[in-house]
Amino acid sequence: MSDIYRVACAAGFSGDRIGVAKPLVDELIRLGGPSCLIFESLAERTLALAQLERRQNDQLGYEPLLAEMVEPILLDCVREGIPIVGNFGAANPLAAAELIAHIANDKGIPDLKIAIVYGDDISAPSLRKKLEDSLSAQDQKILAYSQLVSANVYLGAKEIAEALNAGAQVVVTGRVADPALTVGPLMAHFKKSWSDWNFLGAATMAGHLLECGAQVTGGYFADPGYKDVPDLSNVGFPIIEVDQAGNICVTKPMNTGGVVNQMTVTEQLLYELHDPAQYLTPDVVADITEVTVIDQGDNRVQVTGVKGHPKPSTLKANICIDGGWLAEGEISYAGHQAYQRAELAAQIVRERLGKQLHLRVDFIGSSSIFASDSGHGPAQNAENHFEDIRLRIAAAHQDRTLAMQVCREVNALYTCGPAGGGGVRTSLKPRLNTLVGFIPRDEIMASYQFYEGRGDQ
């Protein structure tokens, strides 16, 4: 068994940059030794939207860029023994596996071993009682009067590890905890006990460092003149190296842009970490309060000292419900008294719709990130000397026809509003709301199966 195992991450969200997997795979091949390639492309709303898509077409509901992600690197990964793990199955892991099988056949790999992880979807009517019991009393009332779109628990890494140990070359999952995509391969390789909490904690934080893709290699970090990042247009995606003791090294492929340093790694370590002493995941409670982050130079940063504590007794559940319709309308005002004209336009729409709808008004170009729907302009600039304002008015409502009035009224501002408005854009789209619950883990039956064709499942 090798002392070092590498995991490379080629996606941090659905819609992430395509073409980054090939440099990662080339680097893993150059470095040699056991390794794995992961794709993390599933956020909470991404999964709910995938569920809606699957309702319309049972052949869809997986990551829309799946073919573009996998096709360029599948043959190299199979030849070099680099397994691929991804939550790109989203709401339809079976259909995702089927697509990968077609790609493999086209590339002359007819016997590709694809494993599918099941158990995260708890939206079936038979599980409704468990779903309701997982929620607070207030959220139970909300669910009772709402249409359920999707309900999924965050599974851990065990099924991924078991599938890899059984010979899987590709593992397709739906909703698993983001770090699980890394924990699974590490546990499969090092054959650690599932009660080795310190190693599981380290493996989880290794996955946490990878899960947002280029965030840890300089993307989302850059701030010109303060935190400069070279060649960001060619940013390299991350690779982590983990040893038997759970020590982590973060790096990236040679000849790529971006940077890996103590600051990028520290920022990503703390990202979305509510309590550094208790990062709750399905596999472990990770603790980074004693972590040491050492910049080794040459885009290599070592992370040591991660601890772990026994895993929680419950699994987090994300429940998406129908949130009605979101209507948005935008119009621009420029030049003399741009802000005052935009403010008058907003006043007109408020007077026409404010009794029927709760309107959100933003004056983009002044202080829209701080403003609310109060209707007050930016206090820090009493003179309001703005030369370019984009007015945005939005409202959400269960009644599609009523929500649509926002689009119509903003459009009418062309001639029914103040002078010089232009560039109107409107949209009306379904809205999703999210509830969060916790389900006892022994009530969830997770498993994996090897793909043998849609008809055999």
Side-chain angles (χ1 to χ4, degrees):
M1 180 190 302
S2 172
D3 288 338
I4 296 291
Y5 190 84
R6 294 183 177 91
V7 183
C9 179
F13 63 97
S14 179
D16 205 348
R17 184 173 293 167
I18 295 298
V20 301
K22 187 66 166 62
L24 287 171
V25 172
D26 289 347
E27 183 74 353
L28 294 178
I29 294 171
R30 184 187 72 82
L31 293 169
S35 60
C36 177
L37 179 69
I38 69 169
F39 292 87
E40 199 291 281
S41 61
L42 192 61
E44 290 75 15
R45 288 181 62 83
T46 311
L47 180 53
L49 293 170
Q51 293 282 10
L52 290 174
E53 186 178 44
R54 185 183 185 184
R55 289 184 181 185
Q56 299 297 317
N57 184 340
D58 65 3
Q59 301 296 307
L60 298 177
Y62 52 84
E63 165 57 47
L65 296 176
L66 176 57
E68 295 169 87
M69 288 175 167
V70 172
E71 192 277 335
I73 46 84
L74 183 60
L75 189 57
D76 284 344
C77 285
V78 171
R79 284 174 175 168
E80 300 295 331
I82 301 171
I84 299 169
V85 179
N87 55 17
F88 36 48
N92 201 346
L94 176 57
E98 187 169 44
L99 175 60
I100 295 169
H102 285 315
I103 294 171
N105 282 326
D106 289 344
K107 291 188 168 295
I109 321 169
D111 56 350
L112 183 70
K113 298 191 72 174
I114 307 170
I116 306 169
V117 175
Y118 292 102
D120 66 297
D121 190 337
I122 55 170
S123 59
S126 60
L127 296 171
R128 181 77 182 203
K129 185 64 167 61
K130 293 179 182 179
L131 201 60
E132 292 171 353
D133 290 345
S134 76
L135 299 171
S136 67
Q138 181 180 353
D139 284 351
Q140 285 182 16
K141 292 179 182 178
I142 294 173
L143 181 61
Y145 293 99
S146 303
Q147 180 182 352
L148 180 68
V149 174
S150 66
N152 299 79
V153 292
Y154 287 77
L155 298 179
K158 193 170 185 179
E159 288 69 35
I160 296 173
E162 290 174 348
L164 291 170
N165 281 331
Q169 295 163 293
V170 179
V171 181
V172 180
T173 81
R175 180 72 279 169
V176 296
D178 295 347
L181 301 173
T182 300
V183 176
L186 290 172
M187 292 296 285
H189 176 74
F190 287 113
K191 305 294 190 295
K192 296 285 187 174
S193 164
W194 288 93
S195 59
D196 187 338
W197 305 120
N198 284 342
F199 185 85
L200 281 165
T204 292
M205 295 317 298
H208 180 70
L209 287 165
L210 286 178
E211 69 186 51
C212 294
Q215 274 192 198
V216 77
T217 55
Y220 202 71
F221 168 84
D223 189 354
Y226 178 58
K227 297 185 295 182
D228 291 314
V229 176
D231 196 15
L232 196 52
S233 65
N234 186 39
V235 63
F237 275 52
I239 298 171
I240 58 100
E241 300 172 352
V242 181
D243 66 16
Q244 287 259 19
N247 299 310
I248 303 162
C249 184
V250 187
T251 186
K252 67 181 185 68
M254 291 179 61
N255 303 316
T256 60
V259 63
V260 178
N261 61 28
Q262 189 178 45
M263 290 189 294
T264 67
V265 171
T266 301
E267 282 194 12
Q268 183 59 30
L269 267 178
L270 297 174
Y271 174 75
E272 290 185 340
L273 212 65
H274 296 283
D275 183 349
Q278 297 186 82
Y279 180 43
L280 305 178
T281 77
D283 297 304
V284 68
V285 176
D287 179 350
I288 65 166
T289 55
E290 298 180 24
V291 157
T292 301
V293 180
I294 301 174
D295 195 331
Q296 298 181 323
D298 198 24
N299 292 301
R300 292 179 63 84
V301 173
Q302 187 181 63
V303 179
T304 60
V306 180
K307 303 296 182 184
H309 309 292
K311 60 191 177 186
S313 61
T314 57
L315 296 175
K316 180 181 176 181
N318 259 25
I319 298 135
C320 276
I321 56 177
D322 176 17
W325 296 88
L326 174 64
E328 296 177 282
E330 295 183 4
I331 186 170
S332 290
Y333 295 91
H336 178 65
Q337 294 212 120
Y339 181 83
Q340 287 80 358
R341 283 180 285 131
E343 194 172 40
L344 175 56
Q347 179 185 335
I348 292 168
V349 178
R350 283 197 190 95
E351 290 177 0
R352 293 186 62 81
L353 299 179
K355 293 180 181 179
Q356 301 168 288
L357 294 165
H358 179 72
L359 299 175
R360 164 82 192 198
V361 176
D362 293 299
F363 299 94
I364 301 169
S366 60
S367 58
S368 58
I369 62 169
F370 303 110
S372 68
D373 55 2
S374 65
H376 300 298
Q380 72 274 25
N381 190 340
E383 296 182 358
N384 295 329
H385 290 160
F386 301 104
E387 294 186 355
D388 191 350
I389 292 291
R390 183 76 170 166
L391 172 65
R392 173 185 179 269
I393 302 178
H397 202 277
Q398 290 295 129
D399 187 329
R400 185 182 189 277
T401 301
L402 188 54
M404 185 66 185
Q405 292 301 312
V406 173
C407 302
R408 291 175 176 170
E409 287 295 336
V410 172
N411 193 62
L413 289 170
Y414 267 131
T415 57
C416 298
V424 169
R425 290 185 182 178
T426 63
S427 71
L428 182 70
K429 52 192 175 185
R431 186 170 182 258
L432 299 172
N433 292 334
T434 301
L435 306 175
V436 175
F438 296 91
I439 294 182
R441 64 171 59 244
D442 56 8
E443 295 186 6
I444 301 301
M445 301 300 294
S447 64
Y448 76 91
Q449 296 178 26
F450 279 100
Y451 175 77
E452 296 179 357
R454 178 172 285 270
D456 296 321
Q457 298 296 312

